[in-house]
Amino acid sequence: MKTSHTIKLAVLLLIILPAAIFFIWANQELQTPVSHAQGDRYIVIPRGSTQPEIISRLSETGVIRRGWLFSLYIRLTGAAPRLKAGEYRFPSPISPIEVLRKLEVGEQRLKRLTIVEGWTRWDIAELLLRIPELNLRDKKEALALFDDTSEIRDLDPRAKNLEGYLFPDTYSFPPDTSPQEAVAMMVGRFRQVWKEALADLGGNPAVNLREIITIASLIETEAKLKEERPVIASVIYNRLKIGIPLGIDSSVIYASKLAGKWKDDGKVYLSDLERDSPYNTRKVRGLPPGPIASPGAHSIQSALAPAQTDYLYYVREPMRNDGAHNFYRDAAQFQRGVQALREWEAARDANTSIPQPQTNAPTPSP
């Protein structure tokens, strides 16, 4: 009997010991920096690259030494869906764990930088932080770049930051561009677009830039279709005229971000709706104190020249997945539209074969 127990213990040790040795060795390999010759070069991970293609690229360039171990670690940690395309600079030496962290965050080369319509300064700060040439230490330092309003002071002396004035576009920069110069170029592009938009209206000097850009930012975060932007602009102006709260959820989200309370899970909670903030257009009447995002040229033009309608409400059209809305003149029609949307959402949740719209545009409250 004693011999039997001894044999079982020996077999168990033969199984556990190699596994333990492999674990220790693998952990050391993943943590150990590897020297390579690509430290000053960009390595491009094309959009749509598969995990094996990414690992093959990194192995070929010498950034990682044991591709099979790197692949195994990615599978075990479930990191594959988080790997991002981009243009990367991997310092030498660098460990496989550090390589994975970079791939999960993503990097973009400074020479060509895209700011997306509707982005906030938080979004832009995150993008700038992923650009190695800018040498930004953290998001706080990146956000601080937007506190200097000297480039926009003559147009908006009330601006406390550059929210709304960082124009969404694709920019090309020389490699030695500083973070401040990159921001100045975005503001310069805004000034150019604003001048062109005013020229189209005959250069009306009575236009209040801050109010127009605030309205344009609301339009940008609400409208997905170009042709709907002047109509959504008309809803905003109509509600402002009669003193109805705008009830725009993107402004509610902005208020939560300012308070550091936004959960960033795509959901608007009751605590968000009840937050006391001048940006919470569910509770306060009138416009928010300033822009809540970077509006594009079409949204600025719509804010300057809204459609002439008597609409006061809109709600997402459930049968389309392109962000279209239905517009209403009275609360009863609006409530029927809301009910139709809710019924569609209930059917969608019960039957996954129903296609889900790509937008969750908020709806003004009555």
Side-chain angles (χ1 to χ4, degrees):
M1 183 67 70
K2 185 177 180 180
T3 302
S4 174
H5 284 305
T6 302
I7 293 173
K8 289 179 180 179
L9 180 60
V11 171
L12 188 61
L13 287 174
L14 286 173
I15 295 172
I16 294 176
L17 190 59
I21 292 172
F22 174 78
F23 176 80
I24 294 170
W25 171 83
N27 184 64
Q28 184 175 1
E29 283 290 312
L30 292 167
Q31 299 284 350
T32 300
V34 174
S35 296
H36 59 87
Q38 308 295 323
D40 295 328
R41 301 178 183 177
Y42 283 93
I43 295 176
V44 178
I45 305 297
R47 190 178 299 276
S49 297
T50 63
Q51 177 187 323
E53 289 170 341
I54 295 173
I55 294 173
S56 175
R57 177 68 175 143
L58 296 177
S59 297
E60 290 170 0
T61 53
V63 174
I64 58 174
R65 186 166 49 190
R66 291 182 171 84
W68 66 269
L69 179 61
F70 193 59
S71 178
L72 176 63
Y73 182 75
I74 289 174
R75 286 203 302 270
L76 291 175
T77 57
R82 299 192 295 273
L83 304 184
K84 293 181 173 62
E87 297 178 82
Y88 293 86
R89 278 204 313 191
F90 297 100
S92 178
I94 185 171
S95 71
I97 293 295
E98 291 169 328
V99 170
L100 180 58
R101 287 174 185 157
K102 274 183 164 286
L103 291 171
E104 289 178 320
V105 172
E107 279 186 3
Q108 187 171 345
R109 195 170 181 175
L110 180 60
K111 71 173 185 179
R112 191 170 178 83
L113 183 67
T114 299
I115 307 300
V116 178
E117 293 178 346
W119 273 11
T120 65
R121 67 186 193 274
W122 291 284
D123 299 317
I124 299 172
E126 288 180 358
L127 176 62
L128 297 182
L129 194 58
R130 297 199 299 266
I131 298 172
E133 298 100 318
L134 295 180
N135 297 312
L136 295 168
R137 290 168 296 181
D138 51 36
K139 191 172 181 179
K140 183 178 179 181
E141 183 181 9
L143 277 170
L145 293 169
F146 310 136
D147 292 336
D148 181 2
T149 61
S150 57
E151 296 285 340
I152 202 71
R153 195 167 296 144
D154 60 319
L155 294 179
D156 183 2
R158 293 171 52 203
K160 296 180 179 179
N161 55 61
L162 294 174
E163 189 73 270
Y165 304 125
L166 303 162
F167 191 75
D169 206 342
T170 297
Y171 297 89
S172 295
F173 299 103
D176 58 348
T177 301
S178 70
Q180 293 78 12
E181 289 169 335
V183 172
M185 187 174 291
M186 298 175 201
V187 177
R189 179 73 178 117
F190 167 81
R191 295 179 69 96
Q192 178 185 359
V193 171
W194 175 251
K195 183 178 179 181
E196 292 169 354
L198 279 185
D200 290 341
L201 290 180
N204 184 356
V207 169
N208 185 314
L209 175 139
R210 185 174 182 82
E211 289 185 3
I212 291 297
I213 300 305
T214 299
I215 293 170
S217 71
L218 297 172
I219 296 168
E220 191 65 63
T221 57
E222 292 289 278
K224 303 302 179 185
L225 302 181
K226 177 182 174 181
E227 61 269 22
E228 283 193 355
R229 294 181 187 192
V231 185
I232 287 179
S234 75
V235 174
I236 293 173
Y237 280 109
N238 290 341
R239 293 173 77 88
L240 289 172
K241 185 176 180 179
I242 62 176
I244 299 177
L246 297 179
I248 293 177
D249 284 352
S250 52
S251 70
V252 176
I253 293 169
Y254 194 85
S256 295
K257 287 182 177 180
L258 282 175
K261 301 295 185 179
W262 175 237
K263 294 182 174 61
D264 199 19
D265 60 0
K267 299 177 182 178
V268 177
Y269 293 87
L270 183 61
S271 58
D272 298 314
L273 297 174
E274 293 180 343
R275 179 160 287 106
D276 290 328
S277 168
Y279 285 90
N280 184 356
T281 60
R282 288 277 186 172
K283 296 186 69 174
V284 300
R285 298 174 188 271
L287 289 173
I292 64 167
S294 292
H298 292 304
S299 291
I300 294 174
Q301 291 163 359
S302 297
L304 286 168
Q308 298 302 308
T309 78
D310 55 358
Y311 294 134
L312 291 173
Y313 309 90
Y314 57 87
V315 68
R316 197 177 74 228
E317 166 52 62
M319 301 309 295
R320 292 174 58 173
N321 65 354
D322 58 356
H325 293 86
N326 292 320
F327 295 86
Y328 305 99
R329 294 174 175 83
D330 61 60
Q333 292 176 330
F334 168 68
Q335 290 301 331
R336 285 194 289 270
V338 171
Q339 183 61 33
L341 177 62
R342 288 174 178 168
E343 290 174 357
W344 181 90
E345 288 174 336
R348 177 202 63 197
D349 294 340
N351 181 2
T352 56
S353 66
I354 297 178
Q356 182 175 356
Q358 296 172 349
T359 178
N360 188 26
T363 307
S365 60

